[in-house]
Amino acid sequence: MRAVGAIARKLDDWVNPIAVKELRQAVQARLIAGLLLLFLLGLLVTTMALASDRGQYGYDSEGIGGGVFIVLYGILLGTCVGLVPAYCGGRLMAERSGAHADLLFATALRPRAIVWGKFSAGLILIVLIYSACAPFLTLTYLLRGIDMSVIFLLLGVGLALSALSLACTVFLACVPASNLLRGLLGLVWLGVTFVVLLYVVRLARAFIDYGGGLMMREVWEVCSVLATFALMVTVFLFLASVTLMSPPSANRILPVRVYVTIAWLLTALAVYFTLGLFHLARAWATFCVFVLSCGLLVAVSERDQVGPRVARAIPRSPLLRPFAFVFYTGSAGGLVWSCLMIALTLLAWHHLRTTTYMMRYPAVELDEATQELLGMATYALAYAMTGYLLQRSLFRRTNTGQTWMLALCIAALAFLPPLGAHLFELDPFGDRGTSSLWALGTPMLVFDEDYRAVALTFSLLWATAAFMFALPRLWRQVGAFKPLARIRHAAAHGQAVDASPAVVEAPVEAEAEPS
């Protein structure tokens, strides 16, 4: 008994206090209990109303289990994918507002523990709702028209989608932005969630109609790939949320870049060993270029100076320092890492397209895919570097963490000329055939066969010019990337130090580690 008590006390110490707080408030609040009872009542009434019409089908018909399951499954997904994540994200967003932001820093908990507590509390609420709804969904098997394997498979798909939606809302709640921008991001999330729910319900309907064919190996392989993808994206969103919650002086981007690099390598090997399927390889390359292009926006929003906490962790070995430079926090290192990863993605795609399994596809289609990927990357680099130059030269008073917003504004302004040309009929399509040049600042022309070469040339020149103008600033960061002890030694002996004053003058002991 003493051993059991000791184990129980040890497990009690491991319980996340944020999760305990969230679950205690959820249990004590009448809103959660009332919604759960209303949810159960709705499921009961829906099941009884649909099952009462069974007589018109007769006992020799195919049954109405599939139809009842679709209705209950839609209610379950709407609750676990939409309502519960919105509730958890809204609470976290309220706590990160200006009136309550100090509460997150008045604790010794690390940002990782805070994010994990919020996520685990929401996941427990989802599992609670699943446990209440699963019996109703399982009983639809008795109404005939659906297989038990389909029920368990779709329940697993819904649970994975709910966890992914929860991680997405936690990430959006951690974004350092104004309430207006967070509201816009929330509206975008609601729209995407609604579209995804529609597709998942249609997929569930197809699975029910397919019936016993779900035991086929190909179906389970596809489901395994999608589950793995959802798990990887959920972990990425968790690490990104921890990064946004961490103090700016910390080396907070390191876990994200290491994780993305490892995930890129594993997925590249998986795509290569799937015998070079064209659509899978193209989807992988497109997704990687999109994520790494977002990494460019994150990189230009990082700080230009090496803080004391980052400088203390810089390796003293000249051989290890270049690797640390591309993975540590800093705008120059982030740009180098993102560009290198994009280049490796394009090289991997080029290697995949030359395999014997890809040769059966037309060479023109492969070349078009390569040019589209290159155009997406160059336009993203041009937007990011232009925003970087404008923020560092014209908008110095603004926070560098908002540079990504400036880059997105530049991308949005690039869509105004083609929109205005279309509205005011300036050089309309079919007249002189030059109206598409109004969209030269947008990546839309990359997907147009007639203007793809012009768009690639323009984007390459734009990105190269912006990068060359920013090169002196980026090169100074390379020279300032030195260990803290070496920087202080050079400053004490009156030697020239290419580093920020914050690194040289700030004492190590004066910098606390806020959570």
Side-chain angles (χ1 to χ4, degrees):
M1 295 300 296
R2 293 182 178 179
V4 175
I7 295 175
R9 286 191 296 270
K10 180 64 71 174
L11 293 176
D12 183 68
D13 294 335
W14 288 348
V15 174
N16 190 289
I18 299 295
V20 173
K21 178 183 74 69
E22 293 292 329
L23 293 176
R24 180 181 298 172
Q25 293 180 355
V27 172
Q28 293 179 353
R30 297 180 179 179
L31 177 63
I32 300 297
L35 288 178
L36 184 60
L37 292 177
L38 184 62
F39 180 76
L40 292 175
L41 180 61
L43 291 177
L44 180 60
V45 173
T46 303
T47 305
M48 293 178 62
L50 294 175
S52 61
D53 297 333
R54 181 178 179 178
Q56 65 179 344
Y57 295 97
Y59 287 96
D60 296 333
S61 63
E62 295 181 357
I64 62 172
V68 176
F69 180 86
I70 286 296
V71 175
L72 299 182
Y73 192 64
I75 297 174
L76 177 63
L77 288 183
T79 304
C80 296
V81 179
L83 295 181
V84 175
Y87 168 77
C88 297
R91 286 184 55 85
L92 181 57
M93 188 180 299
E95 292 178 359
R96 284 181 58 82
S97 62
H100 305 90
D102 295 338
L103 297 177
L104 294 177
F105 296 95
T107 175
L109 294 175
R110 294 182 176 271
R112 182 177 62 253
I114 296 176
V115 175
W116 173 247
K118 297 290 184 179
F119 179 79
S120 60
L123 192 61
I124 291 174
L125 290 178
I126 291 174
V127 173
L128 177 63
I129 295 176
Y130 251 76
S131 63
C133 187
F136 292 91
L137 294 173
T138 307
L139 288 177
T140 57
Y141 174 74
L142 302 178
L143 299 177
R144 301 195 306 176
I146 187 172
D147 294 334
M148 189 63 71
S149 60
V150 177
I151 294 176
F152 288 116
L153 178 62
L154 293 178
L155 285 176
V157 171
L159 185 60
L161 187 61
S162 301
L164 181 59
S165 178
L166 178 62
C168 184
T169 54
V170 172
F171 170 76
L172 293 178
C174 294
V175 173
S178 60
N179 293 331
L180 178 61
L181 181 58
R182 289 180 178 178
L184 293 177
L185 292 177
L187 292 177
V188 172
W189 173 81
L190 286 176
V192 173
T193 302
F194 180 74
V195 173
V196 170
L197 287 178
L198 290 180
Y199 277 101
V200 172
V201 171
R202 291 181 59 184
L203 180 64
R205 180 76 263 182
F207 278 177
I208 293 173
D209 295 338
Y210 205 63
L214 284 177
M215 301 307 295
M216 296 174 58
R217 178 181 176 183
E218 292 79 4
V219 176
W220 289 104
E221 288 180 353
V222 172
C223 293
S224 301
V225 171
L226 294 178
T228 305
F229 174 77
L231 178 61
M232 295 178 66
V233 175
T234 302
V235 175
F236 169 76
L237 292 175
F238 173 79
L239 293 176
S241 302
V242 175
T243 299
L244 294 176
M245 288 283 290
S246 302
S249 59
N251 190 14
R252 54 184 186 175
I253 204 65
L254 176 62
V256 176
R257 288 183 182 154
V258 171
Y259 173 78
V260 172
T261 304
I262 296 175
W264 181 92
L265 181 60
L266 294 178
T267 52
L269 292 175
V271 171
Y272 179 78
F273 287 109
T274 54
L275 304 181
L277 296 177
F278 173 74
H279 298 290
L280 179 60
R282 185 173 183 176
W284 171 82
T286 304
F287 180 77
C288 289
V289 170
F290 173 76
V291 172
L292 296 172
S293 298
C294 296
L296 291 172
L297 300 179
V298 175
V300 297
S301 302
E302 297 181 35
R303 57 191 301 179
D304 295 338
Q305 294 81 20
V306 181
R309 296 177 64 178
V310 179
R312 281 192 301 231
I314 295 177
R316 297 187 178 183
S317 174
L319 299 177
L320 299 178
R321 202 174 303 164
F323 296 96
F325 178 74
V326 297
F327 284 101
Y328 279 22
T329 298
S331 57
L335 288 172
V336 173
W337 177 81
S338 299
C339 293
L340 284 177
M341 293 299 297
I342 291 176
L344 289 176
T345 303
L346 295 176
L347 289 176
W349 165 252
H350 179 74
H351 177 71
L352 287 172
R353 55 167 290 189
T354 57
T355 56
T356 56
Y357 300 98
M358 300 274 282
M359 296 301 293
R360 63 177 181 267
Y361 294 96
V364 176
E365 189 174 358
L366 296 175
D367 293 336
E368 290 178 354
T370 304
Q371 294 173 3
E372 291 173 0
L373 293 175
L374 180 61
M376 291 170 54
T378 51
Y379 272 103
L381 181 60
Y383 295 147
M385 296 309 303
T386 305
Y388 177 84
L389 289 175
L390 290 179
Q391 197 280 328
R392 266 65 172 184
S393 57
L394 299 180
F395 304 98
R396 295 181 179 179
R397 295 184 178 181
T398 60
N399 187 8
T400 57
Q402 309 297 330
T403 308
W404 65 275
M405 298 174 58
L406 185 59
L408 291 181
C409 290
I410 295 172
L413 291 176
F415 283 87
L416 292 181
L419 182 61
H422 178 72
L423 293 178
F424 297 101
E425 297 183 356
L426 300 176
D427 194 10
F429 289 93
D431 187 6
R432 291 186 297 273
T434 59
S435 58
S436 292
L437 296 180
W438 289 97
L440 197 58
T442 66
M444 294 190 304
L445 292 186
V446 177
F447 303 95
D448 191 346
E449 183 179 359
D450 298 332
Y451 297 94
R452 184 177 292 119
V454 178
L456 284 175
T457 304
F458 176 78
S459 61
L460 284 173
L461 292 177
W462 183 9
T464 303
F467 187 83
M468 293 304 296
F469 277 110
L471 186 59
R473 293 178 177 271
L474 300 177
W475 187 253
R476 284 196 294 268
Q477 297 183 43
V478 177
F481 194 78
K482 298 177 181 179
L484 184 62
R486 184 169 299 180
I487 294 175
R488 288 181 173 176
H489 177 76
H493 290 78
Q495 300 176 3
V497 181
D498 188 10
S500 62
V503 177
V504 179
E505 299 175 3
V508 178
E509 296 79 9
E511 185 183 7
E513 184 176 349
S515 60

